[in-house]
């Protein structure tokens, strides 16, 4: 009798993550097409319009890359925290608290040099993100409380605080219909590089290299991997696993907080609910799909940024912007399915 | 006068608790088999929108419940396929299930935003404004009684039946279970789909009764609170129900504090359930010192080493 059996492959193709992503993306486009067809929309027209309006000109390309900045930075933060085998589902909240910290420092300080002022505000954003993950980090390393649930819940808490601030203490009386804080002054706007591309993109490149170095080349990165492995190995190696986990979480949260700062200083120019449109959640997909690799996060983050821009522009022809979210999530599901075939082998076995 | 308020509070507590409890009970069953499904929020959302759409289009409330439950269960089978059959990371798959569920339900519900239900899920008796405790208990809608029934039967099934013992064995030690001839993958697959069905029922309760209209992201984190409730309940149905009542009470109490003379910003009121959930998790973890009662194999994909 013949039987199908599963074997774990001895070696996994180095590029398997990339191939899985690519095939996953094709599967996702296919799923997106079916949804469009059900809604009586032509997939080819819709996708070509998305493509044209997201990368077809300098302006649209820079809009796409601007959108990619928070996805990449938050994704890098998630990947750093994952070095110690922990999850950060709280990037959305960290982005908001980063922006809140920027506004708080902006209101309460007086700095004459614009460049120093911007620098201080960016640092404030980073610190805000770290502060946001502080409680989940403490409860994780001290008491062992599940960080997935605590980081997620902080999203709802920080969002509530944002709503409170923009309807209460920070409410801009000039903004009538849309609750928001007052605009920051033009002197602290982040400059643009080419077209509308924000200076934040350069920061993004810098932090991608930084994250790559931190994770893969630095002593701390090595220690993080040990700390995320078996507890005994960490003890033998003399590594304080809890301390590494704590620091990794604060750095990761800071990356997302910086994303919030850049979003405020280059896009919204004020604290509002529009600081993030689910960037923190999309960043989870971006990080997971690349196997937590910083350079991959940069590339996939850029692609997903374009996809989000494409998704928001096709609303004008009556297609829901959620199609972009669905394509992003389906890409990861598709990639997971393909990854199975890279890690396992199905063989026919003769049974006796 | 204060009595009427207390009765109202009790009524609201039970309703909020029902919603949380059903989803938590489903997750409990899934986790008992060793599968962690972080997609509860997405599954509730799918059940909620599917039930609501069916109710609007057919005005048949029981068909709506059925469709809501089935769609969530089918949706959960994606997680079962990816984690049980294809042995991929359960955390990643569950998270994406939540993201996909929220996006898909928003897309499906786009044309239903703001529409009101004509045939809402009503009380099983003719009492619509209960005035005493007995009336509160006999005036809930059908899903409340289903939830009570599910609580009792799940506890019995887990403790007394072969299926329950098998489920527990698989979740505690899948390798030994496999060598004893138990069908690990099949058990886990079923448990995941059952968890999805329960989340769907919770979602249906949300849109057909609790808040009888549809808006984006209306689950507002309840799926995550349900996940916390499973930990709170130590993977035991009755304790999970107790936790649900406690959280339901808080959800019902906080907006009412104003009528009792407390001045609170409504924005701060909204975040209290999440703050309290974190606090409860911390206190519980300190109190139990690591012995949470979690199934030992949770999150670990089962792979039969070839002998």
């Amino acid at each position: 009798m013949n039987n199908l059996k599963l074997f774990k492959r001895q070696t996994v193709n180095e590029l398997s993550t990339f191939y899985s992503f690519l095939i996953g993306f094709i599967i996702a486009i296919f799923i997106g097409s079916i949804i469009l067809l059900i809604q009586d929309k032509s997939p080819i027209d819709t996708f070509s319009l998305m493509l044209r309006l997201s990368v077809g000109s300098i302006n649209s390309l820079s809009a796409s890359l601007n959108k990619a900045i928070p996805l990449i930075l938050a994704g890098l933060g998630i990947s750093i925290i994952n070095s110690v085998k922990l999850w950060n589902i709280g990037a959305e909240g960290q982005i908001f608290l980063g922006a809140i910290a920027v506004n708080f420092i902006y209101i309460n300080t007086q700095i004459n040099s614009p460049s120093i002022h911007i620098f201080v505000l960016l640092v404030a954003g980073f610190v805000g993100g770290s502060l946001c993950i502080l409680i989940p980090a403490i409860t994780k390393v001290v008491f062992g409380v599940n960080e997935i649930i605590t980081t997620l819940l902080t999203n709802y808490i920080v969002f509530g605080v944002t709503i409170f601030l923009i309807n209460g203490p920070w409410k801009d009386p000039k903004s009538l219909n849309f609750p928001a804080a007052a605009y920051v002054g033009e002197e602290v706007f982040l400059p643009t590089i080419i077209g509308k591309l924000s200076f934040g993109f350069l920061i993004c490149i810098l932090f991608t290299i930084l994250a790559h170095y931190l994770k893969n080349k630095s002593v701390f990165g090595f220690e993080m991997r040990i700390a995320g492995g078996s507890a005994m190995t960490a003890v033998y190696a003399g590594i304080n696993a809890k301390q590494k986990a704590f620091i990794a979480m604060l750095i990761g949260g800071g990356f997302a907080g910086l994303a919030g700062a850049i979003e405020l200083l280059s896009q919204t120019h004020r604290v509002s609910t529009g600081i993030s449109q689910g960037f923190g959640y999309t960043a989870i997909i971006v990080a997971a799909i690349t196997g937590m690799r910083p350079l991959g996060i940069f590339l996939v983050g850029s692609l997903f940024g374009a996809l989000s821009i494409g998704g928001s522009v096709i609303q004008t022809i009556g297609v829901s912007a959620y199609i972009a979210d669905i394509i992003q999530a389906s890409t990861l599901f598709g990639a997971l399915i393909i990854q199975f075939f890279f890690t396992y082998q199905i063989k026919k076995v003769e049974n006796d | 006068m204060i009595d009427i308020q207390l009765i109202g509070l009790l009524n609201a507590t039970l309703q909020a608790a029902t919603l949380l409890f059903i989803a938590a009970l489903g997750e409990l069953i899934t986790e008992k088999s060793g599968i962690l499904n972080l997609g509860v929020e997405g599954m509730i959302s799918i059940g909620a929108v599917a039930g609501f759409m069916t109710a609007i289009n057919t005005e048949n409330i029981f068909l709506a419940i059925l469709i809501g439950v089935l769609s969530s269960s089918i949706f959960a089978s994606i997680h079962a396929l990816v984690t049980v059959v294809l042995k991929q990371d359960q955390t990643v798959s569950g998270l994406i299930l939540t993201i996909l569920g929220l996006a898909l339900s928003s897309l499906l519900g786009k044309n239903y935003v703001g529409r009101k239900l004509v045939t809402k899920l009503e009380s099983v008796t003719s009492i619509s404004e209960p005035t005493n405790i007995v009336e509160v208990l006999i005036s809930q809608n059908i899903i409340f009684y289903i939830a009570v029934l599910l609580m009792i039967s799940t506890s019995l099934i887990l403790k007394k039946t072969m299926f329950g013992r098998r489920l527990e064995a698989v979740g505690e030690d899948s390798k030994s279970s496999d060598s004893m001839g138990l069908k690990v993958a099949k058990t886990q697959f079923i448990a995941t789909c059952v968890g999805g069905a329960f989340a769907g029922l919770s979602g249906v309760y949300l849109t057909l009764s609790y808040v009888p209209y549809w808006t984006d992201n209306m689950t507002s984190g309840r799926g995550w609170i349900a996940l916390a409730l499973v930990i709170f309940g130590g993977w035991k149905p009755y304790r999970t129900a107790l936790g649900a009542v406690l959280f339901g009470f808080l959800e019902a109490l906080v907006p009412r504090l104003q009528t009792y003379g407390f001045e609170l910003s409504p924005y701060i009121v909204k975040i209290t359930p999440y703050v309290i959930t974190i606090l409860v998790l911390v206190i519980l973890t300190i109190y139990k010192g690591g012995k949470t009662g979690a199934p030992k194999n949770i999150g670990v994909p089962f792979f039969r080493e070839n002998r």
Side-chain angles (χ1 to χ4, degrees):
Chain A
M1 203 180 107
N2 277 337
N3 233 341
L4 293 178
K5 270 204 166 180
L6 214 54
F7 290 89
K8 218 169 199 158
R9 286 179 199 270
Q10 299 293 327
T11 52
V12 178
N13 189 318
E14 267 182 38
L15 288 172
S16 69
T17 314
F18 175 71
Y19 293 138
S20 303
F21 164 73
L22 216 60
I23 304 171
F25 189 64
I26 295 168
I27 295 174
I29 293 290
F30 184 70
I31 292 172
S33 305
I34 293 173
I35 294 175
L36 287 170
L37 283 174
I38 292 171
Q39 297 188 323
D40 270 332
K41 301 277 191 285
S42 153
I44 295 170
D45 290 354
T46 311
F47 286 133
S48 57
L49 186 70
M50 276 174 86
L51 198 65
R52 194 147 41 85
L53 295 177
S54 59
V55 293
S57 68
I58 293 288
N59 266 347
S60 52
L61 188 63
S62 50
S64 292
L65 292 179
N66 283 339
K67 202 76 154 186
I69 297 170
L71 300 181
I72 295 169
L73 283 173
L76 293 172
I78 291 165
S79 86
I80 289 171
I81 296 177
N82 196 263
S83 303
V84 287
K85 290 286 173 290
L86 294 179
W87 281 94
N88 173 25
I89 317 300
E92 185 77 359
Q94 290 143 22
I95 292 172
F96 273 104
L97 205 62
I100 288 173
V102 168
N103 200 44
F104 178 80
I105 296 297
Y106 177 79
I107 295 172
N108 291 298
T109 52
Q110 197 73 45
I111 297 169
N112 288 328
S113 156
S115 49
I116 296 176
H117 203 175
I118 290 175
F119 180 75
V120 168
L121 293 178
L122 289 173
V123 173
F126 192 97
V127 174
S130 297
L131 277 178
C132 186
I133 205 173
L134 188 63
I135 288 173
I138 292 174
T139 54
K140 177 71 202 185
V141 300
V142 180
F143 308 117
V145 180
N146 183 322
E147 84 288 355
I148 296 178
I149 298 180
T150 51
T151 51
L152 184 282
L153 291 173
T154 52
N155 290 343
Y156 289 97
I157 296 170
V158 175
F159 193 72
V161 170
T162 311
I163 304 263
F164 165 71
L165 286 172
I166 60 180
N167 282 287
W170 283 357
K171 187 175 167 57
D172 180 10
K174 276 176 264 170
S175 178
L176 292 173
N177 300 320
F178 184 63
Y183 286 102
V184 294
E186 261 179 59
E187 74 279 2
V188 293
F189 285 13
L190 274 183
T192 52
I193 322 167
I194 315 155
K196 285 180 184 156
L197 184 61
S198 157
F199 179 75
F201 196 69
L202 288 184
I203 302 176
C204 201
I205 294 173
L206 179 74
F207 272 73
T208 304
I209 298 165
L210 214 64
H212 175 74
Y213 177 79
L214 186 73
K215 267 183 75 109
N216 303 323
K217 311 276 178 206
S218 73
V219 177
F220 183 70
F222 176 73
E223 290 175 337
M224 283 199 295
R225 280 201 297 282
I226 301 278
S230 94
M232 287 314 282
T233 319
V235 172
Y236 287 136
I239 287 167
N240 185 342
K242 288 187 169 183
Q243 184 204 41
K244 303 299 168 214
F246 186 73
I247 297 171
M249 283 179 95
L250 291 195
I251 295 175
F255 270 61
L258 179 64
I262 293 175
E263 203 58 21
L264 190 152
L265 296 178
S266 70
Q267 303 299 323
T268 64
H269 303 303
R270 58 175 176 175
V271 175
S272 73
T273 52
I275 285 287
S276 174
Q277 298 120 36
F279 300 146
Y281 297 106
T282 311
I284 299 171
I285 305 183
V286 172
I289 218 164
T290 60
M292 303 288 168
R293 293 177 179 84
L295 303 178
I297 290 170
F298 183 82
L299 295 176
V300 176
S302 303
L303 175 74
F304 278 19
L307 210 53
S308 296
I309 286 289
S312 55
V313 292
I314 53 167
Q315 286 183 83
T316 49
I317 59 161
V319 178
S320 168
Y322 287 104
I323 200 90
D325 288 15
I326 291 172
I327 290 175
Q328 288 162 352
S330 306
T331 305
L332 182 45
F333 268 129
L336 286 176
I337 292 170
I338 302 303
Q339 191 65 43
F340 165 79
F341 295 98
F342 279 110
T343 30
Y344 295 94
Q345 206 170 9
I346 305 166
K347 275 186 192 164
K348 264 191 184 169
V349 194
E350 294 258 332
N351 262 12
D352 41 8
Chain B
M1 193 59 204
I2 193 85
D3 273 349
I4 292 292
Q5 279 182 357
L6 273 179
I7 292 299
L9 178 64
L10 179 68
N11 199 24
T13 298
L14 285 187
Q15 291 175 358
T18 305
L19 182 57
L20 292 172
F21 173 68
I22 303 173
L25 190 63
E27 179 66 14
L28 184 153
I29 295 170
T30 306
E31 291 190 11
K32 271 281 179 193
S33 78
I35 298 292
L36 174 71
N37 188 353
L38 296 178
V40 186
E41 182 87 356
M43 298 189 300
I44 297 178
S45 207
I46 289 288
V49 79
F52 189 75
M53 285 165 69
T54 315
I56 288 252
N57 289 323
T58 65
E59 293 193 6
N60 183 338
I61 208 93
F62 288 99
L63 187 67
I65 296 176
L66 190 71
I67 298 283
V69 169
L70 277 180
S71 353
S72 277
S73 187
I74 293 167
F75 190 61
S77 71
I78 302 177
H79 185 66
L81 171 75
V82 170
T83 64
V84 178
V85 181
L86 304 178
K87 303 171 200 321
Q88 298 299 306
D89 191 294
Q90 295 175 13
T91 307
V92 173
S93 171
L95 283 171
I96 307 313
L97 202 67
T98 284
I99 297 175
L100 186 63
L102 290 174
L104 207 55
S105 57
S106 295
L107 183 111
L108 291 169
K110 203 181 118 197
N111 297 328
Y112 294 83
V113 173
R115 279 175 72 176
K116 272 223 158 201
L117 216 55
V118 191
T119 48
K120 180 180 158 195
L121 199 55
E122 298 290 356
S123 148
V124 288
T125 48
S126 52
I127 307 157
S128 55
E129 296 282 326
T131 51
N132 58 49
I133 294 179
V134 179
E135 284 185 4
V136 168
L137 288 174
I138 60 167
S139 68
Q140 300 300 316
N141 68 44
I142 183 82
I143 297 181
F144 172 81
Y145 303 102
I146 296 177
V148 175
L149 216 65
L150 286 175
M151 171 179 74
I152 299 166
S153 54
T154 305
S155 176
L156 281 176
I157 287 169
L158 287 178
K159 279 194 207 135
K160 307 275 183 206
T161 67
M162 267 315 285
F163 178 78
R165 307 310 301 165
R166 229 180 280 153
L167 189 71
E168 190 135 2
V170 167
E172 288 294 324
D173 188 344
S174 55
K175 287 224 164 76
S176 311
S177 304
D178 178 56
S179 50
M180 281 162 59
L182 297 184
K183 296 214 173 355
V184 176
K186 190 179 160 195
T187 309
Q188 291 182 332
F189 203 104
I190 293 172
T192 307
C193 291
V194 169
F198 280 40
L201 188 61
S202 168
V204 168
Y205 187 86
L206 178 66
T207 44
L208 297 191
S209 158
Y210 195 69
V211 194
Y213 58 81
W214 173 257
T215 56
D216 285 1
N217 298 326
M218 65 183 293
T219 41
S220 54
R222 289 195 179 87
W224 295 99
I225 295 181
L227 275 160
L229 277 177
V230 180
I231 303 175
F232 179 88
W235 287 263
K236 292 189 170 67
Y238 289 114
R239 260 194 244 173
T240 307
L242 188 73
V245 171
L246 186 73
F247 273 85
F249 174 70
L250 289 169
E251 193 176 328
L253 176 73
V254 175
R256 284 177 168 76
L257 280 178
Q258 219 134 21
T259 57
Y260 295 120
F262 290 91
E263 278 300 322
L264 271 175
S265 158
Y267 308 109
I268 299 303
V269 165
K270 273 198 126 169
I271 64 173
T272 44
Y274 313 112
V275 177
I276 289 166
T277 310
I278 293 182
L279 276 176
V280 166
L281 279 179
V282 171
I283 293 166
L284 204 72
T285 319
I286 297 172
Y287 177 69
K288 293 212 171 162
K291 284 186 195 129
T292 53
K296 287 195 186 60
N297 255 352
I298 198 155
V300 183
F302 167 68
F303 171 65
R304 183 191 288 161
E305 296 290 341
N306 290 288
R307 300 173 292 261

